[in-house]
Amino acid sequence: APRAVEAYSRLARRQDRDARAWVDLGRAQEAAGQPTSARVSYERALALEPGYAAAHLRLASLDAEEGRREDALARYARAESLYQTASDSEGETETLIQRGAFLDGIGDFKPARAALERAKTLAAATENEYQRIRIDIRLSSVTASEGNLRESEKLARAAAATALGRELTPLAADAYIELGATLLNDPARLKEAETTLQTAVALAERRGADRIAMRARLNLSSVHLSRGQPDDALALAEQALPFLQARRLRRQELSALGLIAEAYDRQGNYASARDAARKVLTSAEQIGDASSIVQALLTLA
């Protein structure tokens, strides 16, 4: 990733009036864990070409990762409008997928489903298999949140099988994460959830998909808590935390801190649990993450 950043930096300097070169640099910087530099590159692209939809979408993604709800939604809306004007169905679909995933992550399930169902219609028309698999993975998450665990499991298993068949290994890992999260809701299937998430970690690591691997580890931490293994849960969450903080993945950082607080609580280390829960509460209030606020208050209580 650092070598890619260096290469794209040289290209952007040579083509410093080309907005696309700056977006390419920003993507490389994101992949290398440099979100602040990536934001500068995307803003440079928009200064050159204010109507460049891809730059708006990438900035929306950064805003979403950092918990900037209103900024992210405004950017998604702008990107969608620009893609529609350009009759770029794949770009519009990508925007809807990302917006749906963001809304699902913050608990706005009804608009999340609406965005993803619209994306599914567009992806069917364009026959973009990669996008169709990603949509089904995100719909699996929304469906589980709505309480339909059987349908959620069906969607995740089908997406994983299709992704593996197309040798889209990171997508398969992502599908197994959602499958594991669904299985986690059934106390009788915790061992199956653990095995599924371990598979997700292995698949992600095979392709160097660090962010996907970290998500799987956070879910594994939840499994360990549910199985009464707070030491194992704490080790996984603490392993993930520096990675998430360095990349300013605020919502996942809150999840890791919440798991750490709960693990300390289960251990009887109440002072450390209180400190972690207070960090969650402060950060969650800053970004308006209601579910994390509730969880932090419950832990403190």
Side-chain angles (χ1 to χ4, degrees):
R3 292 171 62 185
V5 170
E6 182 180 350
Y8 280 113
S9 293
R10 290 197 299 268
L11 183 62
R13 286 194 296 270
R14 286 199 299 268
Q15 302 178 5
D16 65 348
R17 305 301 299 172
D18 184 348
R20 287 156 184 75
W22 289 102
V23 167
D24 288 341
L25 173 57
R27 286 178 171 145
Q29 290 165 328
E30 278 194 80
Q34 301 171 15
T36 301
S37 298
R39 182 177 291 277
V40 171
S41 295
Y42 297 142
E43 289 174 346
R44 179 67 181 273
L46 286 179
L48 293 168
E49 190 176 331
Y52 189 19
H56 284 287
L57 181 55
R58 293 314 314 160
L59 281 169
S61 176
L62 287 178
D63 287 335
E65 298 285 11
E66 294 173 13
R68 303 172 185 267
R69 183 182 189 279
E70 299 306 321
D71 291 340
L73 292 176
R75 291 279 191 193
Y76 284 133
R78 178 62 172 150
E80 183 183 4
S81 174
L82 289 166
Y83 280 128
Q84 285 178 337
T85 300
S87 298
D88 185 339
S89 294
E90 290 190 348
E92 184 182 355
T93 303
E94 181 63 32
T95 304
L96 289 164
I97 294 171
Q98 291 191 29
R99 186 169 68 197
F102 174 60
L103 289 167
D104 176 41
I106 62 175
D108 287 351
F109 305 126
K110 186 174 180 179
R113 175 170 289 282
L116 292 168
E117 293 290 358
R118 168 66 177 155
K120 190 168 187 174
T121 299
L122 290 171
T126 60
E127 299 183 349
N128 186 316
E129 189 71 13
Y130 179 77
Q131 289 184 326
R132 289 165 68 176
I133 296 170
R134 289 171 59 221
I135 292 163
D136 282 343
I137 294 171
R138 301 279 70 82
L139 281 172
S140 170
S141 177
V142 173
T143 303
S145 298
E146 294 170 339
N148 190 344
L149 301 182
R150 180 176 296 180
E151 180 63 20
S152 172
E153 179 180 347
K154 179 181 176 182
L155 283 167
R157 287 192 185 280
T162 304
L164 287 172
R166 302 290 191 277
E167 297 186 353
L168 299 171
T169 306
L171 274 191
D174 199 8
Y176 278 123
I177 290 173
E178 294 306 332
L179 176 58
T182 298
L183 296 172
L184 180 56
N185 287 282
D186 185 347
R189 303 181 75 181
L190 291 178
K191 180 59 180 176
E192 186 180 355
E194 181 178 4
T195 302
T196 299
L197 290 165
Q198 287 170 342
T199 299
V201 172
L203 288 171
E205 288 182 338
R206 185 187 306 170
R207 294 298 299 270
D210 294 337
R211 287 176 57 175
I212 295 175
M214 284 298 169
R215 282 183 53 231
R217 290 192 184 97
L218 286 181
N219 281 17
L220 269 174
S221 179
S222 293
V223 172
H224 288 314
L225 281 175
S226 297
R227 299 186 72 188
Q229 301 165 331
D231 294 351
D232 293 334
L234 182 62
L236 282 171
E238 288 186 329
Q239 178 188 9
L241 189 59
F243 177 93
L244 301 172
Q245 290 173 329
R247 286 157 179 77
R248 299 178 67 178
L249 304 174
R250 292 289 299 281
R251 291 185 294 121
Q252 291 183 53
E253 178 188 346
L254 286 177
S255 296
L257 284 170
L259 289 165
I260 288 168
E262 190 173 351
Y264 277 134
D265 186 24
R266 300 280 186 91
Q267 289 177 334
N269 186 346
Y270 302 123
S272 295
R274 184 181 295 110
D275 287 344
R278 283 174 174 163
K279 289 178 182 177
V280 174
L281 184 59
T282 299
S283 295
E285 287 176 337
Q286 289 174 350
I287 67 173
D289 187 328
S291 62
S292 294
I293 291 171
V294 170
Q295 188 59 50
L297 290 171
L298 287 172
T299 301
L300 287 170

Short mmCIF file of all heavy atoms in Angstrom, two decimals, residues 222-246:
data_model
loop_
_atom_site.label_atom_id
_atom_site.label_comp_id
_atom_site.label_asym_id
_atom_site.label_seq_id
_atom_site.Cartn_x
_atom_site.Cartn_y
_atom_site.Cartn_z
N SER A 222 -17.54 -10.79 20.32
CA SER A 222 -18.92 -10.89 20.81
C SER A 222 -19.30 -12.34 21.11
O SER A 222 -19.98 -12.63 22.09
CB SER A 222 -19.90 -10.31 19.78
OG SER A 222 -19.73 -8.93 19.63
N VAL A 223 -18.86 -13.25 20.24
CA VAL A 223 -19.13 -14.67 20.47
C VAL A 223 -18.51 -15.12 21.79
O VAL A 223 -19.14 -15.83 22.59
CB VAL A 223 -18.60 -15.53 19.30
CG1 VAL A 223 -18.72 -17.02 19.64
CG2 VAL A 223 -19.37 -15.23 18.03
N HIS A 224 -17.27 -14.74 22.01
CA HIS A 224 -16.59 -15.13 23.25
C HIS A 224 -17.32 -14.60 24.49
O HIS A 224 -17.43 -15.31 25.50
CB HIS A 224 -15.14 -14.64 23.24
CG HIS A 224 -14.25 -15.38 22.28
ND1 HIS A 224 -14.23 -16.75 22.19
CD2 HIS A 224 -13.34 -14.93 21.38
CE1 HIS A 224 -13.35 -17.12 21.27
NE2 HIS A 224 -12.80 -16.04 20.77
N LEU A 225 -17.83 -13.38 24.40
CA LEU A 225 -18.60 -12.84 25.52
C LEU A 225 -19.85 -13.68 25.76
O LEU A 225 -20.20 -14.00 26.90
CB LEU A 225 -18.98 -11.38 25.27
CG LEU A 225 -17.90 -10.33 25.50
CD1 LEU A 225 -18.39 -8.96 25.09
CD2 LEU A 225 -17.46 -10.31 26.97
N SER A 226 -20.53 -14.02 24.67
CA SER A 226 -21.76 -14.81 24.79
C SER A 226 -21.48 -16.20 25.34
O SER A 226 -22.35 -16.82 25.97
CB SER A 226 -22.45 -14.91 23.43
OG SER A 226 -22.85 -13.64 22.97
N ARG A 227 -20.27 -16.70 25.12
CA ARG A 227 -19.91 -18.04 25.61
C ARG A 227 -19.24 -17.99 26.98
O ARG A 227 -18.74 -19.01 27.47
CB ARG A 227 -18.98 -18.73 24.61
CG ARG A 227 -19.59 -18.95 23.24
CD ARG A 227 -18.69 -19.76 22.34
NE ARG A 227 -18.63 -21.16 22.75
CZ ARG A 227 -17.80 -22.06 22.23
NH1 ARG A 227 -16.96 -21.70 21.27
NH2 ARG A 227 -17.81 -23.30 22.65
N GLY A 228 -19.24 -16.80 27.60
CA GLY A 228 -18.65 -16.67 28.93
C GLY A 228 -17.15 -16.71 28.95
O GLY A 228 -16.54 -17.23 29.91
N GLN A 229 -16.51 -16.17 27.91
CA GLN A 229 -15.04 -16.16 27.80
C GLN A 229 -14.54 -14.72 27.68
O GLN A 229 -14.07 -14.28 26.62
CB GLN A 229 -14.62 -16.97 26.56
CG GLN A 229 -15.09 -18.42 26.60
CD GLN A 229 -14.98 -19.12 25.26
OE1 GLN A 229 -15.08 -18.48 24.19
NE2 GLN A 229 -14.81 -20.43 25.28
N PRO A 230 -14.66 -13.92 28.74
CA PRO A 230 -14.30 -12.50 28.65
C PRO A 230 -12.82 -12.25 28.36
O PRO A 230 -12.48 -11.25 27.72
CB PRO A 230 -14.69 -11.94 30.01
CG PRO A 230 -14.70 -13.12 30.92
CD PRO A 230 -15.15 -14.28 30.08
N ASP A 231 -11.93 -13.15 28.81
CA ASP A 231 -10.50 -12.94 28.53
C ASP A 231 -10.23 -13.00 27.03
O ASP A 231 -9.49 -12.15 26.48
CB ASP A 231 -9.67 -14.01 29.25
CG ASP A 231 -9.72 -13.89 30.77
OD1 ASP A 231 -10.26 -12.89 31.27
OD2 ASP A 231 -9.23 -14.81 31.44
N ASP A 232 -10.81 -13.99 26.36
CA ASP A 232 -10.62 -14.11 24.91
C ASP A 232 -11.28 -12.94 24.18
O ASP A 232 -10.73 -12.42 23.20
CB ASP A 232 -11.22 -15.42 24.42
CG ASP A 232 -10.46 -16.64 24.93
OD1 ASP A 232 -9.27 -16.50 25.24
OD2 ASP A 232 -11.08 -17.71 25.05
N ALA A 233 -12.45 -12.53 24.66
CA ALA A 233 -13.14 -11.39 24.04
C ALA A 233 -12.30 -10.13 24.16
O ALA A 233 -12.17 -9.35 23.20
CB ALA A 233 -14.50 -11.18 24.70
N LEU A 234 -11.74 -9.91 25.34
CA LEU A 234 -10.93 -8.70 25.58
C LEU A 234 -9.69 -8.69 24.69
O LEU A 234 -9.34 -7.65 24.11
CB LEU A 234 -10.52 -8.65 27.05
CG LEU A 234 -9.72 -7.43 27.50
CD1 LEU A 234 -10.53 -6.15 27.30
CD2 LEU A 234 -9.31 -7.58 28.96
N ALA A 235 -9.04 -9.84 24.55
CA ALA A 235 -7.82 -9.90 23.74
C ALA A 235 -8.10 -9.51 22.28
O ALA A 235 -7.34 -8.74 21.67
CB ALA A 235 -7.22 -11.30 23.80
N LEU A 236 -9.20 -10.01 21.73
CA LEU A 236 -9.52 -9.70 20.34
C LEU A 236 -9.89 -8.24 20.15
O LEU A 236 -9.46 -7.58 19.20
CB LEU A 236 -10.67 -10.59 19.86
CG LEU A 236 -10.32 -12.03 19.50
CD1 LEU A 236 -11.59 -12.84 19.25
CD2 LEU A 236 -9.41 -12.07 18.28
N ALA A 237 -10.71 -7.69 21.05
CA ALA A 237 -11.13 -6.30 20.92
C ALA A 237 -9.95 -5.35 21.10
O ALA A 237 -9.83 -4.36 20.36
CB ALA A 237 -12.21 -5.99 21.95
N GLU A 238 -9.07 -5.65 22.04
CA GLU A 238 -7.90 -4.78 22.24
C GLU A 238 -6.93 -4.88 21.07
O GLU A 238 -6.25 -3.90 20.74
CB GLU A 238 -7.20 -5.16 23.54
CG GLU A 238 -7.96 -4.74 24.79
CD GLU A 238 -7.21 -4.99 26.06
OE1 GLU A 238 -6.41 -5.95 26.12
OE2 GLU A 238 -7.41 -4.22 27.03
N GLN A 239 -6.86 -6.03 20.43
CA GLN A 239 -6.02 -6.19 19.24
C GLN A 239 -6.53 -5.32 18.10
O GLN A 239 -5.75 -4.73 17.35
CB GLN A 239 -6.01 -7.66 18.81
CG GLN A 239 -5.19 -7.91 17.55
CD GLN A 239 -5.36 -9.34 17.04
OE1 GLN A 239 -6.20 -10.10 17.52
NE2 GLN A 239 -4.55 -9.72 16.08
N ALA A 240 -7.85 -5.22 17.97
CA ALA A 240 -8.44 -4.46 16.86
C ALA A 240 -8.39 -2.96 17.08
O ALA A 240 -8.34 -2.18 16.12
CB ALA A 240 -9.89 -4.90 16.65
N LEU A 241 -8.42 -2.51 18.33
CA LEU A 241 -8.61 -1.09 18.64
C LEU A 241 -7.58 -0.16 17.99
O LEU A 241 -7.97 0.84 17.37
CB LEU A 241 -8.66 -0.89 20.14
CG LEU A 241 -9.07 0.49 20.63
CD1 LEU A 241 -10.46 0.87 20.12
CD2 LEU A 241 -9.04 0.56 22.16
N PRO A 242 -6.26 -0.42 18.11
CA PRO A 242 -5.29 0.51 17.49
C PRO A 242 -5.47 0.65 15.99
O PRO A 242 -5.32 1.74 15.43
CB PRO A 242 -3.93 -0.12 17.84
CG PRO A 242 -4.19 -0.97 19.04
CD PRO A 242 -5.57 -1.50 18.84
N PHE A 243 -5.77 -0.45 15.32
CA PHE A 243 -6.01 -0.44 13.87
C PHE A 243 -7.17 0.49 13.54
O PHE A 243 -7.10 1.32 12.63
CB PHE A 243 -6.30 -1.86 13.40
CG PHE A 243 -6.64 -1.98 11.94
CD1 PHE A 243 -5.67 -2.25 11.01
CD2 PHE A 243 -7.96 -1.85 11.50
CE1 PHE A 243 -5.98 -2.39 9.65
CE2 PHE A 243 -8.29 -1.97 10.16
CZ PHE A 243 -7.30 -2.24 9.24
N LEU A 244 -8.27 0.35 14.28
CA LEU A 244 -9.47 1.14 14.02
C LEU A 244 -9.24 2.61 14.33
O LEU A 244 -9.71 3.50 13.59
CB LEU A 244 -10.63 0.60 14.86
CG LEU A 244 -11.00 -0.87 14.59
CD1 LEU A 244 -12.02 -1.35 15.60
CD2 LEU A 244 -11.52 -1.05 13.18
N GLN A 245 -8.52 2.90 15.39
CA GLN A 245 -8.24 4.28 15.76
C GLN A 245 -7.34 4.96 14.73
O GLN A 245 -7.56 6.12 14.37
CB GLN A 245 -7.61 4.34 17.14
CG GLN A 245 -8.57 3.99 18.28
CD GLN A 245 -7.89 3.88 19.62
OE1 GLN A 245 -6.72 3.49 19.72
NE2 GLN A 245 -8.62 4.19 20.68
N ALA A 246 -6.34 4.24 14.25
CA ALA A 246 -5.41 4.81 13.27
C ALA A 246 -6.11 5.17 11.98
O ALA A 246 -5.75 6.16 11.32
CB ALA A 246 -4.26 3.84 13.00
#
